[in-house]
Amino acid sequence: MNNDYRSPSFKRWLDKLQQESWQLELIISGFAIYALILAYEPISINISEAMNSQQTIKMILWFIVFISWAIFIFNLTLHIVLRGLWIGALGLRYVSGDIDYHKLNYSKKFTKHLKKRVGTFDRYIARLEKYCSILFAISFLVFFYILGFFTILLTLTGLSYFVTEVLNLKGILKKAIGICMVILFGMGILLTFIDFITMGYLKKNKYISLVYYPFYRLFTYLTLSFLYRPLVYNFLDNKFGRRLSLMLLPSYLAIIFFSTLYYQNSNYILKTDISSEVYSYQNHYEDLLIEKTDFGKIITIPSKIIRTPYLQIFLYYTEQIEDHVFESNKNLKPKEDLRSFKSDFVNINIETNNKKDLRLDYLKTLNEIYSIRIDSSKYKADFTISTNSKERLGFETFLNIRDLKEGKHILRILAPPADSTQVANDTLVTIPFWHFKD
């Protein structure tokens, strides 16, 4: 085969591939849908873990991944359905030929209308072919757009890590470089997004294009758009492709909307995501966390029914807990917050006696600001650092409930007030349980 794209033989080869590409489209769509179905569980697990850990950045990133997953699987499923319809139409054409409106014996008015609106059967097949081919290309364009978005985030994260950890910059210089990076990337992302949704408007204006050009060159590599840019421009100069792209956008919004719909079948009894005196939410009980996507929420106890003379309590670690500790004990607050993305490649964590002492102060402060109540009785918190059965980091303690009466009881964990002007602690969580002695 001649690889010279200008030669007639190469063009004939491309024309031949165009006629047979539908087979490859179906194979790739099938494998992609299978891979997406397998990816659903790990995506759901990471979203659940991020939500229960209250890790906002991680939750947003995985939510974007989930939306992208939904769009991708919708596009490919629709492509397979339309391509199947196209194959069925080809088979019918072989048997029946074109549409014979005279044999239908409709009135002149309807015959004229159908000839105008429906047209020939070959026209219908050609339109299906266009929809299938463009939809398949759009699906992978969406994939590359998402990949470009994450490469920008990774680049920004990598630069931040380089400035803070490798160069070890601090103070005013660190802030100045950080502000410049945020402004540069912010402008680049904004201009690239505007140019994308306006289908290249920034490239058309003589003066704006001069400002946009350096960002365009930079983000060409950051978004990996040099891999798929010819595909984008081929869409922009095709009226049918632009129209289909605009038609898909409302479909994506509809998917997001319908995924939030549910039926409320009671005026008083509602499912919530936290327990109370009258509602026991399963994510507060360890023995009910059966599926991989089930994660404990804030506090967990072993079960709804406690038969042992002690009650195990596991408090999940969140950054908000550490903020409360810092507020209560200013000596524990570090000069530089180390809570950020780390790499074991260059990160060496050395355990020192001072660090051990600070950890003991950390736990002492935690036990002072969080209090435990069962019904009206107060229990002393004595949390230690631990991990649960799903390797989640947190704090664990055991309460002596030997003298607790049999029956229903209410466990409450009181946390520091959200408002500094308040004196009384807030109820962090309320969990009902039943105690029965063996």
Side-chain angles (χ1 to χ4, degrees):
M1 183 193 70
N2 189 354
N3 290 325
D4 183 6
Y5 68 92
R6 291 167 295 188
S7 68
S9 60
F10 186 81
K11 294 183 184 299
R12 285 195 299 270
W13 177 71
L14 286 180
D15 291 337
K16 183 180 178 181
L17 283 181
Q18 285 177 194
Q19 301 300 321
E20 301 174 353
S21 65
W22 63 271
Q23 302 173 41
L24 293 174
E25 287 179 15
L26 284 175
I27 293 171
I28 293 172
S29 293
F31 276 110
I33 290 174
Y34 177 72
L36 288 168
I37 291 172
L38 294 179
Y40 177 76
E41 185 175 325
I43 291 173
S44 300
I45 290 173
N46 279 282
I47 289 175
S48 300
E49 183 180 2
M51 289 178 66
N52 285 282
S53 302
Q54 298 180 20
Q55 299 174 344
T56 307
I57 296 176
K58 186 178 178 181
M59 183 174 64
I60 292 172
L61 289 177
W62 279 107
F63 187 67
I64 292 170
V65 171
F66 177 74
I67 291 175
S68 307
W69 175 91
I71 291 173
F72 206 38
I73 203 166
F74 170 79
N75 281 359
L76 292 178
T77 303
L78 183 60
H79 168 260
I80 285 184
V81 171
L82 291 178
R83 188 55 82 177
L85 183 61
W86 176 79
I87 294 171
L90 285 176
L92 183 61
R93 183 183 184 276
Y94 174 76
V95 174
S96 181
D98 207 343
I99 302 172
D100 191 343
Y101 291 102
H102 295 290
K103 284 187 177 181
L104 295 175
N105 200 26
Y106 292 155
S107 66
K108 289 184 178 180
K109 185 175 182 64
F110 271 98
T111 301
K112 183 179 179 181
H113 173 76
L114 290 175
K115 283 184 176 181
K116 181 180 178 182
R117 302 299 299 177
V118 177
T120 64
F121 199 59
D122 288 356
R123 176 193 171 193
Y124 172 70
I125 292 174
R127 290 181 67 185
L128 279 177
E129 168 63 27
K130 283 184 180 180
Y131 279 117
C132 292
S133 298
I134 291 176
L135 187 61
F136 185 77
I138 286 176
S139 301
F140 286 91
L141 262 183
V142 171
F143 170 77
F144 279 111
Y145 285 147
I146 296 161
L147 185 63
F149 173 77
F150 278 102
T151 54
I152 290 174
L153 290 181
L154 288 173
T155 303
L156 187 58
T157 303
L159 287 173
S160 302
Y161 180 82
F162 182 77
V163 170
T164 56
E165 301 294 332
V166 179
L167 296 181
N168 199 23
L169 297 178
K170 297 179 181 179
I172 298 175
L173 185 59
K174 175 185 172 182
K175 290 182 179 178
I177 294 177
I179 291 171
C180 290
M181 284 170 51
V182 170
I183 293 174
L184 177 67
F185 273 82
M187 285 184 63
I189 292 170
L190 180 63
L191 291 173
T192 304
F193 179 72
I194 292 172
D195 188 64
F196 168 69
I197 62 174
T198 57
M199 298 183 180
Y201 173 77
L202 299 185
K203 300 186 189 77
K204 298 174 183 178
N205 187 284
K206 180 180 178 181
Y207 301 103
I208 297 178
S209 62
L210 293 175
V211 178
Y212 176 56
Y213 183 73
F215 292 99
Y216 169 80
R217 292 298 302 272
L218 174 64
F219 278 80
T220 292
Y221 297 99
L222 294 182
T223 61
L224 306 178
S225 61
F226 59 88
L227 295 173
Y228 56 88
R229 180 168 289 123
L231 203 63
V232 176
Y233 291 144
N234 212 329
F235 266 114
L236 294 179
D237 71 357
N238 186 288
K239 185 179 179 181
F240 189 82
R242 292 199 304 268
R243 190 190 309 160
L244 181 59
S245 301
L246 294 174
M247 286 170 59
L248 285 173
L249 183 59
S251 301
Y252 300 153
L253 297 175
I255 291 172
I256 297 171
F257 173 74
F258 284 112
S259 66
T260 63
L261 289 179
Y262 67 95
Y263 180 75
Q264 181 174 317
N265 57 5
S266 174
N267 291 290
Y268 299 100
I269 303 173
L270 303 174
K271 289 197 298 184
T272 64
D273 61 352
I274 194 164
S275 292
S276 64
E277 291 90 343
V278 295
Y279 182 80
S280 54
Y281 181 50
Q282 68 171 20
N283 287 41
H284 290 305
Y285 307 96
E286 288 282 351
D287 62 340
L288 297 181
L289 305 177
I290 301 171
E291 303 296 333
K292 291 181 180 179
T293 53
D294 293 335
F295 287 92
K297 188 175 180 66
I298 308 175
I299 294 279
T300 56
I301 60 176
S303 176
K304 290 183 180 181
I305 300 176
I306 305 297
R307 299 186 181 277
T308 58
Y310 58 86
L311 176 63
Q312 180 186 9
I313 299 175
F314 189 85
L315 170 64
Y316 288 86
Y317 168 81
T318 62
E319 291 188 4
Q320 287 80 357
I321 288 178
E322 191 155 289
D323 291 337
H324 287 154
V325 171
F326 291 163
E327 284 293 323
S328 299
N329 190 340
K330 304 294 184 183
N331 295 326
L332 288 172
K333 189 171 184 179
K335 293 181 180 178
E336 183 179 358
D337 199 332
L338 300 177
R339 294 176 293 184
S340 62
F341 291 101
K342 300 291 180 183
S343 171
D344 290 331
F345 185 73
V346 294
N347 185 34
I348 301 175
N349 192 9
I350 301 174
E351 184 76 3
T352 62
N353 290 329
N354 182 51
K355 201 167 188 178
K356 291 180 181 177
D357 293 338
L358 290 174
R359 188 177 294 133
L360 291 173
D361 288 342
Y362 187 105
L363 286 174
K364 182 181 178 182
T365 306
L366 178 77
N367 290 320
E368 288 174 354
I369 63 177
Y370 287 90
S371 57
I372 303 172
R373 290 183 182 273
I374 297 180
D375 301 329
S376 59
S377 301
K378 186 176 181 180
Y379 288 75
K380 186 180 184 303
D382 190 16
F383 287 107
T384 58
I385 303 169
S386 180
T387 55
N388 67 352
S389 59
K390 293 196 174 185
E391 297 299 319
R392 289 281 306 281
L393 181 65
F395 309 94
E396 188 177 47
T397 190
F398 294 82
L399 304 181
N400 184 353
I401 57 172
R402 189 183 305 274
D403 299 328
L404 206 62
K405 292 181 180 181
E406 292 189 338
K408 180 183 176 181
H409 299 277
I410 304 296
L411 169 70
R412 288 183 176 86
I413 308 296
L414 303 179
D419 189 351
S420 58
T421 60
Q422 296 177 356
V423 178
N425 286 358
D426 294 330
T427 300
L428 181 65
V429 67
T430 301
I431 304 175
F433 71 94
W434 287 259
H435 178 51
F436 296 104
K437 300 175 183 178
D438 288 333

